[in-house]
Amino acid sequence: MPRSEATTATEVDAGHIVELERALARVAYLLTRVRRHDQAMVQCGFSMDRASVPLLRLLADADEPMRLGELATRLDVEAPHVSRQIQRLEKAGYVERVADPGDRRAQLVRPTASGRSAVEAIRQVMRGWMRDALAEWDTEDLEALARLNHRMVDDFLDHAEVIGDYGATARERPSRSA
Protein backbone atom coordinates (compact mmCIF):
# COMPACT_ATOMS: atom_id res chain seq x y z
CA MET A 1 0.00 0.00 0.00
CA PRO A 2 1.54 3.37 -1.00
CA ARG A 3 2.19 5.91 1.70
CA SER A 4 0.07 9.03 1.75
CA GLU A 5 1.79 12.33 1.22
CA ALA A 6 1.00 13.28 4.82
CA THR A 7 2.90 10.30 6.23
CA THR A 8 6.67 10.50 5.84
CA ALA A 9 9.07 7.60 5.76
CA THR A 10 10.50 8.88 9.03
CA GLU A 11 7.16 8.55 10.80
CA VAL A 12 6.39 5.13 9.37
CA ASP A 13 9.88 3.71 9.77
CA ALA A 14 10.74 5.10 13.24
CA GLY A 15 9.85 1.83 14.95
CA HIS A 16 11.93 -0.14 12.47
CA ILE A 17 14.90 2.13 13.09
CA VAL A 18 14.57 1.55 16.84
CA GLU A 19 14.54 -2.22 16.29
CA LEU A 20 17.45 -2.03 13.84
CA GLU A 21 19.52 -0.06 16.36
CA ARG A 22 18.73 -2.63 19.05
CA ALA A 23 19.71 -5.50 16.77
CA LEU A 24 22.97 -3.83 15.72
CA ALA A 25 23.85 -3.12 19.36
CA ARG A 26 23.28 -6.79 20.18
CA VAL A 27 25.43 -7.95 17.25
CA ALA A 28 28.21 -5.49 18.17
CA TYR A 29 28.14 -6.74 21.75
CA LEU A 30 28.24 -10.40 20.71
CA LEU A 31 31.12 -9.89 18.28
CA THR A 32 33.29 -7.70 20.53
CA ARG A 33 33.12 -9.49 23.87
CA VAL A 34 36.46 -10.27 25.48
CA ARG A 35 35.49 -13.91 25.93
CA ARG A 36 34.64 -14.21 22.21
CA HIS A 37 38.01 -12.71 21.26
CA ASP A 38 39.85 -15.05 23.63
CA GLN A 39 37.99 -18.06 22.19
CA ALA A 40 38.84 -16.96 18.66
CA MET A 41 42.53 -16.63 19.52
CA VAL A 42 42.59 -20.14 21.00
CA GLN A 43 40.76 -21.60 17.99
CA CYS A 44 42.92 -19.90 15.39
CA GLY A 45 46.20 -20.52 17.20
CA PHE A 46 47.38 -16.92 17.18
CA SER A 47 47.76 -14.43 20.00
CA MET A 48 46.96 -10.71 19.85
CA ASP A 49 44.87 -8.24 21.79
CA ARG A 50 41.42 -7.18 20.62
CA ALA A 51 42.51 -3.69 19.57
CA SER A 52 45.11 -5.13 17.18
CA VAL A 53 42.71 -7.25 15.15
CA PRO A 54 40.96 -4.47 13.16
CA LEU A 55 44.31 -2.80 12.53
CA LEU A 56 45.88 -5.98 11.21
CA ARG A 57 42.78 -6.72 9.11
CA LEU A 58 42.98 -3.26 7.55
CA LEU A 59 46.64 -3.75 6.70
CA ALA A 60 46.01 -7.21 5.26
CA ASP A 61 43.22 -5.84 3.06
CA ALA A 62 45.28 -2.90 1.80
CA ASP A 63 46.88 -3.08 -1.62
CA GLU A 64 50.07 -1.45 -0.37
CA PRO A 65 51.85 -0.52 2.88
CA MET A 66 50.30 2.34 4.82
CA ARG A 67 51.43 5.25 6.97
CA LEU A 68 50.45 5.28 10.63
CA GLY A 69 48.45 8.48 10.17
CA GLU A 70 46.40 6.91 7.39
CA LEU A 71 45.72 3.88 9.59
CA ALA A 72 44.55 6.15 12.41
CA THR A 73 42.27 8.07 10.04
CA ARG A 74 40.73 4.96 8.55
CA LEU A 75 40.12 3.41 11.96
CA ASP A 76 38.91 6.73 13.37
CA VAL A 77 41.28 6.56 16.35
CA GLU A 78 44.11 8.71 17.67
CA ALA A 79 47.59 8.28 16.17
CA PRO A 80 49.27 7.29 19.49
CA HIS A 81 46.83 4.37 19.77
CA VAL A 82 47.85 3.11 16.33
CA SER A 83 51.53 3.60 17.13
CA ARG A 84 51.25 1.46 20.28
CA GLN A 85 49.32 -1.26 18.46
CA ILE A 86 51.81 -1.31 15.58
CA GLN A 87 54.68 -1.69 18.07
CA ARG A 88 52.90 -4.70 19.62
CA LEU A 89 52.15 -6.23 16.23
CA GLU A 90 55.73 -5.64 15.08
CA LYS A 91 57.15 -7.23 18.23
CA ALA A 92 54.90 -10.27 17.66
CA GLY A 93 56.09 -10.53 14.04
CA TYR A 94 52.73 -9.69 12.45
CA VAL A 95 53.80 -6.43 10.75
CA GLU A 96 56.97 -4.81 9.52
CA ARG A 97 58.02 -1.27 8.76
CA VAL A 98 59.35 -0.35 5.34
CA ALA A 99 60.74 2.86 3.92
CA ASP A 100 58.31 5.18 2.19
CA PRO A 101 59.64 5.55 -1.37
CA GLY A 102 58.02 8.98 -1.63
CA ASP A 103 59.53 10.36 1.60
CA ARG A 104 62.74 8.96 3.07
CA ARG A 105 61.84 10.35 6.50
CA ALA A 106 58.59 8.42 6.68
CA GLN A 107 57.90 4.75 7.23
CA LEU A 108 55.09 2.56 6.02
CA VAL A 109 53.70 -0.55 7.67
CA ARG A 110 52.67 -3.80 6.01
CA PRO A 111 51.66 -7.21 7.30
CA THR A 112 54.17 -10.04 7.32
CA ALA A 113 53.28 -13.51 6.06
CA SER A 114 52.53 -14.41 9.68
CA GLY A 115 50.24 -11.38 9.97
CA ARG A 116 48.33 -12.37 6.84
CA SER A 117 48.01 -15.93 8.13
CA ALA A 118 46.69 -14.63 11.44
CA VAL A 119 44.05 -12.50 9.71
CA GLU A 120 42.91 -15.40 7.56
CA ALA A 121 42.76 -17.73 10.57
CA ILE A 122 40.70 -15.20 12.56
CA ARG A 123 38.36 -14.74 9.60
CA GLN A 124 37.92 -18.50 9.27
CA VAL A 125 37.00 -18.81 12.95
CA MET A 126 34.51 -15.93 12.76
CA ARG A 127 32.98 -17.27 9.53
CA GLY A 128 32.66 -20.69 11.13
CA TRP A 129 30.75 -19.20 14.07
CA MET A 130 28.47 -17.34 11.69
CA ARG A 131 27.96 -20.40 9.51
CA ASP A 132 27.00 -22.47 12.58
CA ALA A 133 24.68 -19.77 13.97
CA LEU A 134 22.91 -19.30 10.64
CA ALA A 135 22.87 -22.97 9.62
CA GLU A 136 19.07 -23.09 9.58
CA TRP A 137 18.75 -20.09 7.25
CA ASP A 138 18.04 -20.75 3.60
CA THR A 139 20.30 -19.48 0.85
CA GLU A 140 17.94 -16.71 -0.24
CA ASP A 141 17.74 -15.28 3.30
CA LEU A 142 21.53 -15.36 3.69
CA GLU A 143 21.93 -13.65 0.32
CA ALA A 144 19.40 -10.97 1.27
CA LEU A 145 21.04 -10.42 4.66
CA ALA A 146 24.47 -9.96 3.09
CA ARG A 147 23.13 -7.64 0.38
CA LEU A 148 21.14 -5.50 2.82
CA ASN A 149 24.03 -5.28 5.29
CA HIS A 150 26.36 -4.06 2.54
CA ARG A 151 23.75 -1.55 1.45
CA MET A 152 23.34 -0.33 5.03
CA VAL A 153 27.10 0.06 5.55
CA ASP A 154 27.43 1.94 2.25
CA ASP A 155 24.61 4.28 3.30
CA PHE A 156 26.21 4.78 6.73
CA LEU A 157 29.49 5.71 5.02
CA ASP A 158 27.68 8.09 2.67
CA HIS A 159 25.91 9.68 5.64
CA ALA A 160 29.21 10.01 7.51
CA GLU A 161 30.44 12.12 4.60
CA VAL A 162 27.34 14.32 4.85
CA ILE A 163 27.78 14.99 8.57
CA GLY A 164 31.52 15.61 8.25
CA ASP A 165 32.87 12.43 9.84
CA TYR A 166 36.13 12.64 7.96
CA GLY A 167 37.49 9.48 9.56
CA ALA A 168 34.68 7.57 7.88
CA THR A 169 35.10 9.31 4.54
CA ALA A 170 38.78 8.45 4.42
CA ARG A 171 38.03 4.75 4.69
CA GLU A 172 37.94 2.86 1.47
CA ARG A 173 34.94 0.65 1.21
CA PRO A 174 36.13 -2.86 1.82
CA SER A 175 35.61 -5.48 -0.78
CA ARG A 176 32.29 -7.24 -0.36
CA SER A 177 34.10 -10.54 -0.69
CA ALA A 178 36.39 -9.91 2.30
Side-chain angles (χ1 to χ4, degrees):
M1 179 162 112
R3 295 182 181 144
S4 71
E5 290 182 31
T7 306
T8 66
T10 304
E11 293 168 353
V12 171
D13 296 336
H16 299 299
I17 297 298
V18 167
E19 289 307 312
L20 180 59
E21 185 276 331
R22 285 180 184 162
L24 288 174
R26 291 174 63 203
V27 168
Y29 169 75
L30 289 169
L31 293 177
T32 61
R33 293 185 317 187
V34 172
R35 186 178 305 163
R36 177 68 47 151
H37 171 78
D38 293 346
Q39 290 170 345
M41 292 300 104
V42 167
Q43 280 187 265
C44 74
F46 288 91
S47 176
M48 73 182 71
D49 59 69
R50 282 188 318 152
S52 294
V53 174
L55 180 55
L56 189 56
R57 284 180 71 133
L58 179 59
L59 284 167
D61 290 342
D63 293 330
E64 54 192 35
M66 298 174 67
R67 288 187 177 197
L68 295 181
E70 177 68 8
L71 289 165
T73 298
R74 289 196 186 187
L75 292 171
D76 205 16
V77 298
E78 298 296 322
H81 170 76
V82 169
S83 183
R84 284 189 301 273
Q85 293 308 120
I86 290 296
Q87 288 172 357
R88 288 183 185 128
L89 289 168
E90 188 175 30
K91 186 175 180 180
Y94 295 134
V95 300
E96 62 186 356
R97 295 174 195 258
V98 294
D100 183 341
D103 182 351
R104 291 186 189 197
R105 299 167 296 165
Q107 288 187 322
L108 303 173
V109 181
R110 67 180 176 204
T112 61
S114 179
R116 288 186 187 283
S117 294
V119 167
E120 187 53 34
I122 292 166
R123 284 184 172 144
Q124 289 302 320
V125 167
M126 297 303 290
R127 288 173 184 158
W129 290 343
M130 284 190 265
R131 185 179 50 252
D132 293 347
L134 303 175
E136 299 300 316
W137 288 44
D138 63 40
T139 302
E140 293 79 21
D141 286 345
L142 288 171
E143 187 177 292
L145 178 65
R147 181 179 46 77
L148 291 170
N149 271 286
H150 280 295
R151 179 178 167 192
M152 179 180 63
V153 170
D154 288 346
D155 288 346
F156 283 177
L157 287 171
D158 289 345
H159 184 69
E161 293 174 12
V162 169
I163 63 172
D165 181 354
Y166 297 109
T169 61
R171 294 182 207 129
E172 290 180 8
R173 295 187 181 179
S175 164
R176 292 185 177 188
S177 63

